[in-house]
Amino acid sequence: ILNVEQSPQSLHVQEGDSTNFTCSFPSSNFYALHWYRWETAKSPEALFVMTLNGDEKKKGRISATLNTKEGYSYLYIKGSQPEDSATYLCAFAFNTDKLIFGTGTRLQVFP
Amino acid sequence: DTGVSQDPRHKITKRGQNVTFRCDPISEHNRLYWYRQTLGQGPEFLTYFQNEAQLEKSRLLSDRFSAERPKGSFSTLEIQRTEQGDSAMYLCASSLVGFSYEQYFGPGTRLTVT
């Protein structure tokens, strides 16, 4: 059974704080690692797709790193804003087919 | 193109009734996926299509569930004789295999079985 774990389950931070989340996934048969942001009542939004060990990707204040050998990825948010409040999901792919999701990290940023 | 759309957004039904959901993918995408999310869990894979062919079904998809993609465009997911355990968010996603790894999601259909 392939297991994808995310921590923490939830996080409450003040506006301006920087924060990071962890995604752990199987280190064998790796194909890709996806990060999504899911705001209430909206579609999950793709943040990053990472495929190579050592990959680092950045979009504005959000960045992610990937270690396929040890099976983890970190997502960082610098200077959190209230609009960053959402559930952040990671998903592991061992081929081009289905994604295997973690349970998500729910982030709330207070003004 | 406005992305992946799903209809309805919310459905409340009584136990034992049949329900059908629709997904319209991004128009040029050849892959279409269905996932289900229950409370406290991440989305779980149900099934996917490449064009009109259903290529994989999860063990989660009992024989009360059926999915179709008749012309390789929109897809429907039907649940017969709904049970309270079917209450969940049903998500649809689409992708263009061979071009990108990304799956693009719709907003989901929230099903409540009373």
Side-chain angles (χ1 to χ4, degrees):
Chain A
I1 296 177
L2 296 170
N3 208 30
V4 178
E5 295 183 352
Q6 291 188 247
S7 63
Q9 197 169 16
S10 66
L11 201 54
H12 299 159
V13 301
Q14 288 293 128
E15 182 175 357
D17 287 350
S18 293
T19 186
N20 65 86
F21 325 133
T22 304
C23 173
S24 301
F25 53 86
S27 56
S28 58
N29 299 317
F30 176 85
Y31 187 78
L33 193 283
H34 299 241
W35 281 100
Y36 286 88
R37 175 171 59 201
W38 194 4
E39 296 178 65
T40 303
K42 294 187 177 180
S43 304
E45 173 198 356
L47 289 174
F48 305 112
V49 181
M50 308 177 81
T51 57
L52 297 175
N53 184 43
D55 246 357
E56 292 189 23
K57 296 213 171 181
K58 189 174 180 184
K59 184 186 283 190
R61 294 178 292 99
I62 305 177
S63 60
T65 61
L66 179 69
N67 183 324
T68 60
K69 295 187 187 307
E70 296 182 40
Y72 65 83
S73 176
Y74 294 137
L75 187 80
Y76 301 92
I77 303 178
K78 186 177 177 182
S80 302
Q81 300 296 308
E83 58 264 31
D84 296 328
S85 298
T87 295
Y88 291 82
L89 291 163
C90 73
F92 169 81
F94 57 87
N95 53 32
T96 59
D97 304 338
K98 58 182 174 284
L99 298 179
I100 300 165
F101 283 88
T103 53
T105 293
R106 186 171 178 180
L107 174 68
Q108 281 192 280
V109 182
F110 295 102
Chain B
D1 193 349
T2 55
V4 179
S5 62
Q6 292 187 245
D7 184 68
R9 294 290 302 274
H10 303 273
K11 179 71 177 177
I12 299 174
T13 191
K14 292 187 177 178
R15 191 175 53 187
Q17 298 293 304
N18 299 343
V19 294
T20 300
F21 311 141
R22 177 179 170 127
C23 171
D24 286 89
I26 294 171
S27 57
E28 65 269 23
H29 283 186
N30 50 10
R31 285 261 180 105
L32 187 149
Y33 308 80
W34 286 99
Y35 293 85
R36 178 175 72 184
Q37 188 205 28
T38 53
L39 202 61
Q41 301 297 314
E44 295 173 294
F45 170 78
L46 293 178
T47 188
Y48 84 95
F49 295 83
Q50 180 150 323
N51 301 313
E52 63 274 11
Q54 189 173 20
L55 296 187
E56 187 175 347
K57 287 166 55 170
S58 163
R59 286 171 297 178
L60 294 174
L61 217 64
S62 75
D63 54 10
R64 295 185 297 106
F65 287 71
S66 61
E68 293 183 341
R69 194 183 184 200
K71 296 181 181 178
S73 56
F74 73 91
S75 175
T76 58
L77 178 69
E78 181 184 16
I79 310 174
Q80 296 184 326
R81 306 181 303 282
T82 52
E83 301 172 356
Q84 286 190 316
D86 296 331
S87 296
M89 174 74 84
Y90 290 83
L91 289 164
C92 175
S94 69
S95 69
L96 183 60
V97 174
F99 179 75
S100 166
Y101 298 98
E102 290 189 28
Q103 293 187 18
Y104 296 83
F105 281 82
T109 294
R110 167 78 65 189
L111 173 66
T112 302
V113 181
T114 62

